[in-house]
Each structure stands twice: as C-alpha cells, then as structure tokens.
Amino acid sequence: LDLIKLRASQITGCAFCIDLPTSDARKAGESARRLATVSAWRETPFFTERERAALAWTESLTNIAQTHAPDADYEALAAQFSAKEMADLTLAIVTINAWNRFAIGFRKMPAA
C-alpha cells in the first residue's frame, strides 16, 4: 500500500504525499533500495509480479487521461488480485490521488 501511495504521489509531484508513505514504509521495514527505485520499478528486479501489477495499475489510474486504463494493465492486475482486492486497491489509488490534489492545492509541505 505504501508503494502505491508513493508511486501515485511521485507522478502527481506531491512532496508531502511522497514524504509520508516513504516514512511509513521505512518504519514498516521497507528497504531503502526499493523505496529509491519505485519510480523505476519496471527496470529493477526488486518487485514481485503482484507488486508490479499494482504499480502498473497505480500509474494507469493516476494518468487515466493519457492511459485510459489499458486492458493489459487490467489483465495483469486480475491475474494477481481477487475482485475484492482489485476494488480495494483501486479505492486506495483513488484516495491517494484525492489526497495529492488536496495537499498540492492547499500547499501542504512535509515537516522539516
């Protein structure tokens, strides 16, 4: 979940929303290496097929005006997640995108 929050926030450019899931992920034991490379997840061997499907879906929905949520991303997601998990993941992506827009719009900055 922190990885998809981070990836969506990287795409939207929300500094506050990049900082928060990065910090939460570190506290939960996520490696610095994976966090540093989530923006280039396609080019690394550090993510599972399930994580890759979630990250691709995150990018598709975050950039929906350009991607239109392609069938290939949907099929990869469906191969890794149940229908309920797909709905939960989609809701999480929609929610972080909403928070990104609030944080950017209202000039929320990460704590120093």
Side-chain angles (χ1 to χ4, degrees):
L1 191 57
D2 288 326
L3 294 176
I4 63 113
K5 290 178 184 177
L6 175 57
R7 186 66 193 119
S9 299
Q10 288 171 334
I11 293 166
T12 63
C14 179
F16 178 81
C17 298
I18 290 170
D19 184 59
L20 193 58
T22 300
S23 177
D24 290 347
R26 273 187 280 194
K27 288 176 190 170
E30 186 60 75
S31 75
R33 190 177 200 191
R34 282 172 34 105
L35 290 172
T37 59
V38 74
S39 64
W41 64 270
R42 293 177 196 273
E43 289 79 35
T44 70
F46 309 141
F47 301 94
T48 67
E49 287 304 310
R50 185 172 165 91
E51 289 167 333
R52 290 174 179 282
L55 289 166
W57 193 238
T58 300
E59 290 180 356
S60 290
L61 295 185
T62 301
N63 294 313
I64 199 154
Q66 292 84 26
T67 69
H68 305 284
D71 290 342
D73 289 346
Y74 180 84
E75 290 162 6
L77 188 73
Q80 296 294 323
F81 291 85
S82 70
K84 181 184 182 324
E85 289 172 324
M86 289 170 59
D88 290 345
L89 179 63
T90 299
L91 181 58
I93 294 164
V94 168
T95 302
I96 192 58
N97 273 279
W99 282 114
N100 286 177
R101 283 146 179 84
F102 271 100
I104 292 167
F106 289 103
R107 305 337 190 230
K108 183 77 173 159
M109 289 289 128

